[in-house]
Amino acid sequence: MDGNLTLHLANFSTLFVCMVLKFPQIFVMMRARASTGVSLNSLLLELLGFIVFMSYQMYYDYPPLTYLEYPILIAQDVIVLLLILHYNRNLKHSLIYAALFVGGWQLLTVQKWVIDLAMSLCTFISASSKLAQLQCLWQSKDSRQVSTLTWALATYTCLARIFTTVITTGDTQVLIRFVVMTILNMWVTVTVIYYKPHAVKQD
């Protein structure tokens, strides 16, 4: 009973956190009216990873509570993407990205081997998104428009999903993905904190 309660708490806390995960990032960008330090490539790779992962879970009829947060995360990522394109004056590219993602989403479940291959690459894709964000921060040395809270919450959700995966499906590919994502999310969080500007005391 205690195990089931802990599992439900992990599932629902993850779902709740994911419902607001990108809100801090969205608010920071809207307040600054800029997207400096937020990597477009990272966001596109993250979206691709989310779509592949959710499609894989749905294809194999995994319990909905193990992936229910992904439609919410995808919707929030789309908002962040539109903001980045808007502040970079590239909003017209949104239609191209929409067509590519929708078309790719449909192709994923055409054949079993396609979704299996995509899932085998999912960890690499998602890891690449974090590394792209790290590279962006290293180059700009400016994380004022990057939300520390968003990355810290992302770290928590991955930790929670390690627990729920072990208890429910035990899928090795999924477990490896969450372990790698936890480490990289923590790395990004620390880097964001490091590059936050510190107030200079006035004499």
Side-chain angles (χ1 to χ4, degrees):
M1 183 66 181
D2 289 341
N4 286 335
L5 179 60
T6 306
L7 179 61
H8 287 313
L9 284 173
N11 277 325
F12 284 109
S13 66
T14 300
L15 182 59
F16 174 75
V17 168
C18 286
M19 287 175 68
V20 297
L21 181 65
K22 298 288 183 171
F23 282 19
Q25 182 61 71
I26 291 168
F27 294 150
V28 167
M29 290 172 62
M30 290 179 69
R31 186 167 60 246
R33 296 182 180 276
S35 61
T36 306
V38 183
S39 170
L40 175 61
N41 290 335
S42 172
L43 187 67
L44 293 173
L45 287 167
E46 183 177 73
L47 263 172
L48 179 59
F50 284 166
I51 289 170
V52 169
F53 188 75
M54 186 178 73
S55 300
Y56 176 85
Q57 300 265 45
M58 293 175 67
Y59 187 86
Y60 284 103
D61 292 322
Y62 281 1
L65 278 177
T66 63
Y67 63 85
L68 196 57
E69 69 267 23
Y70 282 89
I72 301 169
L73 288 172
I74 289 169
Q76 292 178 62
D77 264 0
V78 168
I79 295 172
V80 176
L81 174 61
L82 290 174
L83 286 173
I84 292 174
L85 293 175
H86 172 66
Y87 292 131
N88 291 342
R89 303 185 186 281
N90 289 323
L91 198 55
K92 59 186 177 182
H93 293 166
S94 60
L95 292 176
I96 299 172
Y97 290 129
L100 288 173
F101 277 114
V102 171
W105 202 335
Q106 295 300 315
L107 288 173
L108 281 173
T109 53
V110 170
Q111 294 286 339
K112 179 180 179 296
W113 68 267
V114 176
I115 190 66
D116 287 343
L117 176 62
M119 185 59 196
S120 68
L121 297 172
C122 189
T123 299
F124 174 76
I125 294 168
S126 297
S128 297
S129 78
K130 313 304 178 187
L131 293 173
Q133 180 58 58
L134 283 167
Q135 184 182 34
C136 184
L137 288 168
W138 293 333
Q139 289 176 346
S140 68
K141 293 181 170 49
D142 184 355
S143 65
R144 283 175 294 180
Q145 277 77 62
V146 184
S147 170
T148 309
L149 181 57
T150 287
W151 285 99
L153 291 174
T155 303
Y156 167 76
T157 60
C158 286
L159 284 169
R161 280 305 177 212
I162 290 173
F163 172 74
T164 60
T165 301
V166 169
I167 298 299
T168 53
T169 65
D171 190 308
T172 304
Q173 282 196 88
V174 174
L175 193 57
I176 290 172
R177 178 183 182 274
F178 282 127
V179 170
V180 172
M181 292 304 97
T182 299
I183 295 169
L184 291 175
N185 280 335
M186 290 176 67
W187 191 0
V188 174
T189 303
V190 171
T191 306
V192 170
I193 294 170
Y194 179 78
Y195 285 122
K196 287 289 182 187
H198 300 287
V200 179
K201 290 184 178 180
Q202 299 291 330
D203 292 330

